[in-house]
Amino acid sequence: LAPSLSYFLSRLPQCYGMFLGLTGHRLRGADLKHLGIATHYTESAGLAALREAILASDTSSILATLDGHETQLPAPFSLQPHADLIQHCFSADTVQEIMVRLGESGTEFADKLLKTLSRMSPRSLVITHKLLTLAPSLSYFLSRLPQCYGMFLGLTGHRLRGADLKHLGIATHYTESAGLAALREAILASDTSSILATLDGHETQLPAPFSLQPHADLIQHCFSADTVQEIMVRLGESGTEFADKLLKTLSRMSPRSLVITHKLLTLAPSLSYQACFEMEFTAAREVVASGEFTEGVRALLVDKDNAPRWNPASLAEVTEEMVEKYLTNPAKDWEPLQF
């Protein structure tokens, strides 16, 4: 279903979300509980028993099962020694100021972070910072891409190349990797009012054509269908290698999540930003609570059998009433969204 990452990162305490979003720092397992991302923690040795207990539980008893298998957290939180530095540096209003503060701190940890950020695309850093500031709704923006590309990306999870973001209008500028160091220096020397002019001056010609251009007609034809089932029928009828790969990808996914995502992206063009965000949040919450997310984690990360047992198991079993529940079910024991 691809819930909004920026929504959750932006709500972590003490600027940890901005820190994680910009640096890509990898957290240890117990850190997820320390930060409140995970609700429970258990040692690896207990995962097999936990898995069996979860599979034997119904939805109403999942939390009690997790409570019964929880183990004590290792201490301390791995980022605790750097908490003050993270709070000070990543609370800055711009990426430029974050990097200035890191440079001024003079610690080994800050130097490593500065080197990490310096290797990254300045454009991506600025976009990520803005995303975590605004926490946008994914469905709102995907649904407004041209020629069914939003539906295609939302359902398949296809990864775009850097230049593709400019082709689709997601990014405003493009520059080759060889020019990133010079662009970084120019951005650091600019003030906020001249950032766009700086980007304009360092923009390079886009590679041609758009990587999905050879498949544009197929994407338009297949992903304009009214249902996920019809999309898969059209992909099967097309007989191309690209369509076959997409069909295999969709066939491995949760039928329920596919239909919900299709519904989200179908409704989103006529909805406001706030309405999209509220609908998306409700859907993500309900999918996690349903156990479908847990089953995906089991198949991919725990047992690694790549054979998820989805419920329902087929698209035909996903009813309209079921989908409506995931989009309109009022939040219970959840803090309402504040805009």
Side-chain angles (χ1 to χ4, degrees):
L1 185 58
S4 172
L5 184 64
S6 57
Y7 176 85
F8 293 103
L9 284 181
S10 66
R11 280 155 177 79
L12 294 182
Q14 296 175 285
C15 300
Y16 283 118
M18 187 65 75
F19 162 74
L20 295 171
L22 291 178
T23 66
H25 180 87
R26 293 188 179 184
L27 295 172
R28 302 171 187 175
D31 290 338
L32 300 177
K33 178 67 186 295
H34 279 294
L35 276 179
I37 299 172
T39 58
H40 296 75
Y41 176 83
T42 191
E43 296 287 348
S44 299
L47 288 178
L50 175 58
R51 170 185 172 272
E52 294 303 320
I54 288 175
L55 292 176
S57 304
D58 56 28
T59 306
S60 63
S61 61
I62 287 290
L63 287 179
T65 300
L66 291 172
D67 289 339
H69 287 76
E70 190 162 25
T71 54
Q72 187 174 2
L73 276 172
F77 175 35
S78 69
L79 289 173
Q80 190 59 45
H82 312 294
D84 290 342
L85 182 144
I86 290 171
Q87 172 69 27
H88 171 65
C89 296
F90 289 85
S91 61
D93 291 335
T94 66
V95 178
Q96 291 166 280
E97 180 59 26
I98 288 172
M99 297 178 76
V100 168
R101 293 184 186 182
L102 287 171
E104 292 173 343
S105 71
T107 67
E108 182 180 357
F109 182 72
D111 288 344
K112 288 182 179 178
L113 294 179
L114 193 56
K115 288 178 182 177
T116 297
L117 295 176
S118 298
R119 291 194 298 265
M120 294 180 176
S121 160
R123 177 179 57 203
S124 295
L125 287 174
V126 173
I127 291 172
T128 301
H129 186 275
K130 194 67 173 177
L131 287 175
L132 291 171
T133 303
L134 297 175
S137 162
L138 189 63
S139 60
Y140 180 88
F141 293 101
L142 281 181
S143 67
R144 284 158 173 79
L145 294 182
Q147 296 175 287
C148 300
Y149 283 118
M151 186 67 74
F152 162 74
L153 295 170
L155 291 178
T156 66
H158 179 88
R159 293 186 179 183
L160 295 172
R161 302 172 186 173
D164 291 337
L165 300 177
K166 178 67 186 296
H167 279 294
L168 276 179
I170 299 172
T172 57
H173 296 75
Y174 176 83
T175 191
E176 295 288 347
S177 299
L180 289 178
L183 175 58
R184 171 184 172 272
E185 295 302 320
I187 288 176
L188 291 175
S190 304
D191 57 28
T192 306
S193 63
S194 61
I195 287 290
L196 286 179
T198 301
L199 292 172
D200 289 341
H202 287 76
E203 189 162 24
T204 54
Q205 188 174 0
L206 277 171
F210 175 34
S211 69
L212 290 173
Q213 190 59 44
H215 313 294
D217 290 342
L218 182 144
I219 289 171
Q220 173 69 28
H221 171 66
C222 296
F223 287 86
S224 62
D226 291 334
T227 66
V228 179
Q229 288 170 288
E230 180 59 25
I231 288 172
M232 296 179 76
V233 167
R234 293 184 186 183
L235 287 171
E237 292 173 345
S238 72
T240 67
E241 182 180 357
F242 182 72
D244 289 344
K245 287 181 179 179
L246 294 179
L247 195 55
K248 289 178 182 178
T249 296
L250 294 175
S251 298
R252 291 193 299 266
M253 294 180 175
S254 160
R256 173 165 41 187
S257 292
L258 284 175
V259 176
I260 293 169
T261 301
H262 186 274
K263 188 73 170 181
L264 283 170
L265 293 172
T266 300
L267 295 174
S270 62
L271 298 177
S272 68
Y273 172 83
Q274 179 173 334
C276 284
F277 207 127
E278 290 173 335
M279 181 176 62
E280 196 173 306
F281 176 73
T282 299
R285 184 195 69 232
E286 292 297 321
V287 167
V288 171
S290 72
E292 204 78 338
F293 177 77
T294 303
E295 176 57 18
V297 171
R298 178 205 67 76
L300 184 64
L301 300 176
V302 181
D303 293 343
K304 299 181 181 179
D305 58 14
N306 290 314
R309 296 185 285 272
W310 303 124
N311 181 28
S314 69
L315 289 169
E317 297 174 81
V318 182
T319 65
E320 186 66 27
E321 292 75 21
M322 187 184 298
V323 174
E324 286 302 314
K325 169 195 168 185
Y326 281 82
L327 300 182
T328 61
N329 198 33
K332 296 177 181 178
D333 302 322
W334 285 72
E335 182 181 346
L337 290 176
Q338 300 293 325
F339 290 89

